[in-house]
Structures are given as structure tokens and as C-alpha cells.
Amino acid sequence: MNAVSIPATSSVATPKVMSTRRVFGAYLAEARSECLRYLRNPGFMLPIMLFPTMFYLLFGIVMAKHEGADVARYLLASYGVFGLMSPGLFGFGISLALERDGGLLTYKRALPMPPGAYLLGKMLMAMLAAAVVIVLLLIMSVTMAHVALTAQQAGMLLLTGVLGVLPFCALGMLVGTLIKGQGAPGLLNLVYLPMSFLSGLWVPMNQLPGALQQIAPIWPSYHLHRVALAALNMDQGPVMGDIAVLIGFALVCFFIAARRLRRVG
């Protein structure tokens, strides 16, 4: 009887496939646990959801009721950007600083898990929280402010929110490597609130003093605001330059933070 020939690659492919599945499973398990940890923490999720929706209700719906749909549409983009900055900055910055102080990062490095799973889990958590904020604001804008939005506009704003949180994740990660856990909330608020105001999120850019308008492009939130307005078809001109700035900002912050984590972990 002739022996059945078995391809030489089959004995190699199976362990590789199994190894890939294990690595993917580790990333998935870490992302799931990170998301569940924050979703079950009302002290984290409630402020993230309440502040932008409360501000939009007050300024974008109640006070702008007689100003027309364009004002409500503009503020939808503004408070959307304001809301999605929070999970990136605070979800990364404060938790990373506290977990560094508590030795959790050292413990995770000793576990048999991919080194990037920890950061990927936090990133996916921030993206999920940003998506929740944008969806809530979209529902309010359509049902309460009667803003006429197409499915494409709503989808583009949601995509802008989910991806737009990443530069702020990188900034939060950088701050989390620079400061102790107890000082992180105060420092991040000193970054978060002035940046929001100086980017035209609370006051339209053309109503800010000329000097502040000149320096506004240094803030990532300014560029993300322009992209969000463009997603709603509020003409801001070409935004590819703004997208490039956001990508570059995220890469620089992430690179510096990753180098610091290797040294100070």
C-alpha cells in the first residue's frame, strides 16, 4: 500500500496558527477586561457621558432654540470633540499614572501576554467611550434640536469621534508617564479645559481675541474640530492638513511615551 504523503509545511503551519490564535486571544481578553473595568465604573463613565450631553442640552438646544439648526449643528461638532477628548486624556493619563505607582505595569510585564495588549485594551476602551458620547449627542441633535442629518453625515461624525480620540490617548499616555498618580487629575484638567476653550469648542473661533485665533492651530482639538465640522458638511475648507497634523501629533506623543515607559515603567 502506498503511503500517503503529507506536505512538509503542515507540521509547521499548525503551531503557527495556534500561536497566532493565542496571541489574538490575549489581545482580545485584555481589551475585553479593560472595557468592562471602565464600563462598570460609574465614576469614569458618568462624567464622560453627562458633561457633553448636559452642555449640548443647555447651549445647543435650550439656549440656541431660536438661533436655527446651523447653531445646533455647529455645537454638535463642538461638544462632540469636547466629549471625546475626555476618555482619551483621563482614561489613559490618570489610570496609567496610578497603575505605574501601584506597580501594576511591572506585574503585567511578568505575565505571559503580548506587551502591547495593555495599551491596546485602553485604546479600545477610549474608542468605545467616544462612540457612546457621539451616539448620545447625535440622538439628542435629531430628536430634540431637530437637526437634519443624513446617514452619511452621522456616520462620518461617528467615525471622526472613534478615530479622533487616538491623539488624545497618546497625549494622555505621555502625561501618564510624566507625573505621579495623585497629580495626574489636576494636570490633565489644566490641559483639557484650556485646550477646549482655546480651540473654539466653547466659543466660536471668530469670537475669540485675534491673538488666541493665531495660536489655535497648535492645539490638536482645533484640528479635530475642523474635521468634525467638515463631517457635518459645514464648510471648513480642505481638512487633509488637519488630519495629517492629528496623525503626526499622535505618533510623536506615542513615541515619546513609549520610550519613557521602557525606562520608568
Side-chain angles (χ1 to χ4, degrees), residues 1 3 12 20 37 126 161 168 183 202 207 228 234 251 262-263:
M1 181 180 295
V12 178
T20 302
R37 182 160 71 99
F168 301 98
W202 291 351
Q207 297 182 19
M234 301 194 76
L251 290 176
R262 293 190 191 102
R263 296 202 305 265

Side-chain angles (χ1 to χ4, degrees), residues 18 20 47 65-66 91 150-151 156 174 180-181 194 197 201 232 252-253:
M18 294 177 63
T20 302
K65 182 168 56 176
H66 303 295
T150 65
M156 289 300 296
L174 177 58
K180 297 291 186 181
F197 176 78
L201 302 185
L232 297 178
V252 169
C253 288

Side-chain angles (χ1 to χ4, degrees), residues 161-178:
V162 170
L163 298 180
V165 74
L166 298 180
F168 301 98
C169 289
L171 179 58
M173 179 180 170
L174 177 58
V175 173
T177 65
L178 293 172

Side-chain angles (χ1 to χ4, degrees), residues 79-226:
Y79 289 119
V81 173
F82 173 72
L84 67 86
M85 291 166 58
S86 181
L89 290 174
F90 294 96
F92 250 90
I94 294 178
S95 64
L96 181 60
L98 290 172
E99 288 163 6
R100 278 182 53 234
D101 290 352
L104 180 61
L105 287 185
T106 303
Y107 171 73
K108 283 184 175 289
R109 284 175 177 174
L111 296 176
M113 60 181 290
Y118 169 76
L119 296 178
L120 180 64
K122 287 189 177 297
M123 182 184 72
L124 293 177
M125 173 276 302
M127 296 172 75
L128 177 61
V132 171
V133 170
I134 297 297
V135 168
L136 288 175
L137 290 175
L138 283 171
I139 292 172
M140 292 175 64
S141 68
V142 172
T143 59
M144 302 175 69
H146 305 294
V147 176
L149 293 174
T150 65
Q152 181 181 1
Q153 291 170 347
M156 289 300 296
L157 184 63
L158 180 60
L159 180 63
T160 299
V162 170
L163 298 180
V165 74
L166 298 180
F168 301 98
C169 289
L171 179 58
M173 179 180 170
L174 177 58
V175 173
T177 65
L178 293 172
I179 195 167
K180 297 291 186 181
Q182 291 182 344
L187 178 61
L188 285 169
N189 274 306
L190 288 176
V191 173
Y192 178 46
L193 298 178
M195 190 191 313
S196 301
F197 176 78
L198 296 172
S199 301
L201 302 185
W202 291 351
V203 179
M205 186 58 60
N206 58 12
Q207 297 182 19
L208 291 175
L212 297 183
Q213 294 183 37
Q214 293 295 320
I215 65 171
I218 70 174
W219 311 113
S221 45
Y222 165 83
H223 298 280
L224 186 59
H225 188 212
R226 282 176 50 84

